[in-house]
Amino acid sequence: MFLVLGTLLTGLATFALVAYPDTDPATEAAMKFFVFASVTGAIMIFGLSYWFGAAGSTLLADLPGMDTMPMAVLLGFVAVVVGLGYKASLVPFHFWAPDAYEGGPLSIAAYLSVVPKVGALFALAQVVRGLPPESGWTVIIAGLAVLTMTYGYLAALVQDNVIRLLAYSSIAQSGYFLLGIVAVGASELALPSIILFAAAYAAMNLGAFAVAAATGRNLSDFGGLGRSRPLMGIAMVVFLLSLVGIPPLAGFVGKFLLFAAAIDVQFTWLAVVAIVNSVLSLAVYLRIVVPMYRQGETASVASDTWLGIVVLLTLVATLILGLAAQFILV
């Protein structure tokens, strides 16, 4: 019941946040967001009725009692994936995300890319803890991980709008979380890897959006940023390299643990696909980095104290989480 209420209440708040600017793009994005959320939420509630009928309870702790009814387990799980998948912007439930990120204020886009997404993924991890593995839910999660990572980066490759590029990047990053979720209940690395990657993702993604808010929405706005504002340029490079998973940054440590968790539960092929997608992501983020250091261009960066503070704090967090991970995990 808390799963349903949490999804609905956070949805109502975010619809209003996206529509806040009261412009045509914001209104259109909020309406798409609302319609998509309504449909996926209804599907989740319908599917959860199977779990209630099979377990005789609305508690996740009673899910293991459904081991004699695998079809009810599977139908309910697919419905839950639809409901939580839209909030986590998993493919193919991601269609609202690029429009909502682009149409709403950048501060709201940054919020949507982190808080509801991470919350939904943690909720999904909590759900699968009580599911019997023989129901086949791990295969569904692994398939969604491959689809989400690959599509997200391929779509990001053709974006000239930085906000849409970061939107598809955040979609792809959701796929990496699923490597840890597929190992929940079977590997001791699962939960630590999800928690650490969530902290790393929050820092590097919020930092990238903060730089975009200070610089502009298009790739052309980043021309010469690394020369006109060296510190801002270095921070953006750190955030993007961390999103790729380059050591010794926070993103590398989080992804390394996620890969280890997947391998620990015999999903080595999934870890290999994730590594290949990390290589593809380098091409995506270089589309931002290259113009930043191209000769003959000068970026115009807004002077905003609060944005500067956000960039500094997220930069420090990205570096510390990467360098001090071994102490954090002890």
Side-chain angles (χ1 to χ4, degrees), residues 122-216:
F122 274 112
L124 184 59
Q126 183 68 21
V127 167
V128 301
R129 290 179 66 181
L131 293 181
E134 59 272 12
S135 61
W137 65 265
T138 53
V139 177
I140 296 175
I141 293 295
L144 285 174
V146 172
L147 192 61
T148 301
M149 288 184 290
T150 307
Y151 178 84
Y153 285 137
L154 289 176
L157 271 174
V158 297
Q159 303 299 320
D160 292 324
N161 185 298
V162 173
I163 306 307
R164 293 186 72 88
L165 187 152
L166 290 176
Y168 283 109
S169 164
S170 73
I171 290 170
Q173 298 294 333
S174 296
Y176 285 93
F177 278 98
L178 298 183
L179 272 73
I181 293 176
V182 80
V184 169
S187 172
E188 294 182 354
L189 292 173
L191 292 180
S193 67
I194 296 172
I195 292 170
L196 184 59
F197 186 67
Y201 170 76
M204 56 196 179
N205 211 58
L206 288 174
F209 270 100
V211 175
T215 307

Side-chain angles (χ1 to χ4, degrees), residues 43-66:
I43 292 173
M44 183 176 72
I45 293 172
F46 175 74
L48 286 174
S49 67
Y50 284 98
W51 281 4
F52 175 70
S57 170
T58 60
L59 299 178
L60 294 176
D62 293 327
L63 292 182
M66 299 188 302

Side-chain angles (χ1 to χ4, degrees), residues 37-128:
S38 300
V39 174
T40 55
I43 292 173
M44 183 176 72
I45 293 172
F46 175 74
L48 286 174
S49 67
Y50 284 98
W51 281 4
F52 175 70
S57 170
T58 60
L59 299 178
L60 294 176
D62 293 327
L63 292 182
M66 299 188 302
D67 55 353
T68 59
M69 291 170 279
M71 187 56 67
V73 173
L74 191 59
L75 287 173
F77 179 70
V78 170
V80 169
V81 167
V82 172
L84 294 179
Y86 109 85
K87 293 194 76 67
S89 58
L90 301 177
V91 176
F93 316 112
H94 68 286
F95 293 105
W96 64 271
D99 289 336
Y101 289 17
E102 184 182 14
L106 285 186
S107 57
I108 303 306
Y111 172 83
L112 290 175
S113 72
V114 174
V115 180
K117 178 192 294 289
V118 172
L121 289 164
F122 274 112
L124 184 59
Q126 183 68 21
V127 167
V128 301

